[in-house]
Amino acid sequence: MVMLKTKRIGVKVALLVGGIEILAMASLFFAVHFLLIRILENEARDDMNIIARDRAQLIETYLSGCCDFVDGYSKTPEAREALLSQGSADALRRIRALTGAYAADNPAIEGLYVATWSTYVLAHSTPASEGAPFRDADSAALLEERIRSAGRAFCTGIVRSPVSSRMVIPVYASVRDERGEAVGFAGAAGADIAHRFDGREHGVVHVVV
């Protein structure tokens, strides 16, 4: 009888110890499981932050390059003389030759041109666009105000090009005379933005912004 009771107690103790061991193992499993999930989530978030920073840096560098390109074009003597001469044949010949050569050196730029404040195009990398304004009077006045107030080359956001149907970033810069007075402006568009920064070209994960 005593041996039977002792055996029952031993069984109960064994079951209790086994239950505690199972509970401990289950607790350890779930603790490790949730810890791994947290680590993976943090790593994924860090990776996405790195990708976003790299993408932003790429875009910033590209836009800065576009602005520098148009700014350099706007400061050429040919651009200034074309505007100051009120479109003399000789000045137009020189600025048009320069515009074609300038644009050919940068295939990432679409539609390089110089225009009066009325947006009348004196020279364009696509000659068919020359000799006509591309905005109405009210819109041209708003653009002039924005270019004058900016005081430097700037971008206006992403739009769809009416010429190529690609996503582009318009860039503008004032053309100044020798006294520093703005007498017209130069413009262009950073071309093919959607393809350039969809991530595939730079070996990173595609991120929509």
Side-chain angles (χ1 to χ4, degrees):
M1 189 72 176
V2 174
M3 291 181 60
L4 182 60
K5 287 183 179 181
T6 302
K7 188 175 182 180
R8 287 178 178 175
I9 292 173
V11 171
K12 289 180 180 180
V13 170
L15 290 174
L16 179 62
V17 172
I20 292 173
E21 288 178 347
I22 291 172
L23 182 61
M25 292 296 293
S27 298
L28 180 61
F29 170 80
F30 285 113
V32 171
H33 176 72
F34 287 119
L35 178 61
L36 287 174
I37 289 177
R38 179 64 59 85
I39 291 173
L40 291 174
E41 287 177 345
N42 289 339
E43 288 183 350
R45 184 164 49 249
D46 290 343
D47 289 343
M48 292 302 294
N49 288 336
I50 292 171
I51 290 170
R53 285 196 300 269
D54 288 347
R55 183 184 177 88
Q57 184 61 49
L58 284 169
I59 294 174
E60 182 179 349
T61 300
Y62 178 73
L63 295 183
S64 177
C66 289
C67 287
D68 290 345
F69 181 81
V70 176
D71 186 58
Y73 172 72
S74 73
K75 291 177 178 177
T76 59
E78 290 86 350
R80 182 174 62 248
E81 289 304 317
L83 288 162
L84 292 177
S85 69
Q86 298 182 348
S88 74
D90 184 58
L92 287 179
R93 178 185 57 78
R94 286 189 283 112
I95 185 58
R96 288 172 180 175
L98 174 72
T99 301
Y102 218 84
D105 285 339
N106 193 338
I109 291 291
E110 178 181 304
L112 182 66
Y113 63 91
V114 63
T116 66
W117 289 126
S118 67
T119 71
Y120 183 88
V121 179
L122 299 177
H124 200 290
S125 55
T126 304
S129 298
E130 294 171 348
F134 60 87
R135 292 196 179 196
D136 60 36
D138 291 340
S139 180
L142 291 174
L143 180 60
E144 177 183 355
E145 180 182 356
R146 188 168 184 182
I147 293 173
R148 286 184 181 275
S149 63
R152 56 183 175 81
F154 67 98
C155 305
T156 60
I158 300 176
V159 300
R160 186 172 296 280
S161 168
V163 176
S164 65
S165 296
R166 297 189 297 180
M167 301 307 294
V168 299
I169 298 180
V171 183
Y172 302 100
S174 60
V175 176
R176 299 179 180 274
D177 62 19
E178 293 178 348
R179 298 175 298 175
E181 179 67 26
V183 294
F185 69 98
D192 211 7
I193 299 303
H195 168 71
R196 185 171 295 275
F197 296 113
D198 68 357
R200 292 187 293 269
E201 185 170 308
H202 300 284
V204 296
V205 178
H206 175 74
V207 181
V208 177
V209 296

